[in-house]
Amino acid sequence: MRKLNAILGIAMIVLFLAHMIMGGLQLAGIMPGGNTLMKIGAVLLFVLTVVHTVIGVILTAATLKAQSKSGAGYFRENRLFWIRRISGFAVMLFLVSHVIIFSGRTNGEVFRLNLFDIPQLISSLLFVVSLLVHIVTNIRPLMLALGAGKAKDFLGDCAFVLSVLLLAAGAAFVIYYFRWIM
């Protein structure tokens, strides 16, 4: 089940990066709205995310059951484990918010939301931050699950590229916000 979750994780990262780049270009006004490929990718990404979440919940339940049987939870020693789970839960909350916020419409080639005010901007930026935390804290276990072993330089490069792309996505939300209020 962990191997399947790792493969799902890779597929989700690829789809997420494509979605993030196309969405950022759309929000910045560079790419026209109503892109069918983006919609199909978003739905597929959502489905994979739900499956990934279900597997994560099953694996977390198994871990908690094993901790309960042993009588030793070692919460402080397992902080990274809990950061991964809590950030995943945050991602799910902000994902729901993201879907609600971005269920806008297209007028010709301009993508318009029903509303994009300060709360929507804050929610979007928190979504980017929670994704960054979740992905960065899970890159190493993902690589290990796929048999990559010790790839410290590669992991650092992945974290750097991901951080730059997430910064660009955050900037696109801010640009869209200012375009919305003006």
Side-chain angles (χ1 to χ4, degrees):
M1 191 177 290
R2 291 185 193 280
K3 186 79 154 185
L4 173 63
N5 212 22
I7 293 168
L8 279 174
I10 293 293
M12 289 168 52
I13 289 171
V14 169
L15 283 171
F16 165 67
L17 292 175
H19 179 77
M20 181 176 56
I21 290 167
M22 288 190 294
L25 292 173
Q26 188 174 331
L27 288 176
I30 298 169
M31 188 174 99
N35 187 331
T36 304
L37 181 62
M38 184 165 166
K39 288 178 186 175
I40 293 169
V43 169
L44 181 58
L45 180 57
F46 184 79
V47 168
L48 292 179
T49 301
V50 169
V51 173
H52 176 73
T53 301
V54 168
I55 292 172
V57 167
I58 291 168
L59 292 173
T60 300
T63 301
L64 293 175
K65 184 177 178 183
Q67 284 180 351
S68 173
K69 275 187 177 180
S70 72
Y74 302 111
F75 182 79
R76 292 191 66 148
E77 290 77 9
N78 292 320
R79 271 185 286 200
L80 190 55
F81 171 84
W82 288 109
I83 289 170
R84 291 174 180 145
R85 293 329 185 257
I86 293 167
S87 66
F89 183 70
V91 167
M92 291 308 295
L93 290 176
F94 290 120
L95 176 63
V96 170
S97 172
H98 182 76
V99 169
I100 291 168
I101 291 170
F102 286 95
S103 59
R105 59 193 182 287
T106 349
N107 289 339
E109 293 198 2
V110 177
F111 180 77
R112 288 298 279 184
L113 301 174
N114 298 322
L115 175 68
F116 197 80
D117 210 349
I118 292 285
Q120 289 79 1
L121 176 63
I122 291 170
S123 173
S124 296
L125 293 175
L126 288 173
F127 185 39
V128 169
V129 170
S130 64
L131 275 167
L132 178 64
V133 170
H134 189 68
I135 293 173
V136 167
T137 59
N138 281 291
I139 286 177
R140 188 168 191 276
L142 176 65
M143 298 299 291
L144 291 173
L146 295 173
K150 294 186 178 185
K152 193 172 188 174
D153 291 338
F154 179 72
L155 295 176
D157 292 343
C158 285
F160 176 75
V161 169
L162 184 64
S163 297
V164 169
L165 289 173
L166 286 166
L167 178 65
F173 286 127
V174 172
I175 289 169
Y176 186 76
Y177 170 73
F178 283 115
R179 286 180 51 214
W180 175 268
I181 62 171
M182 293 187 174

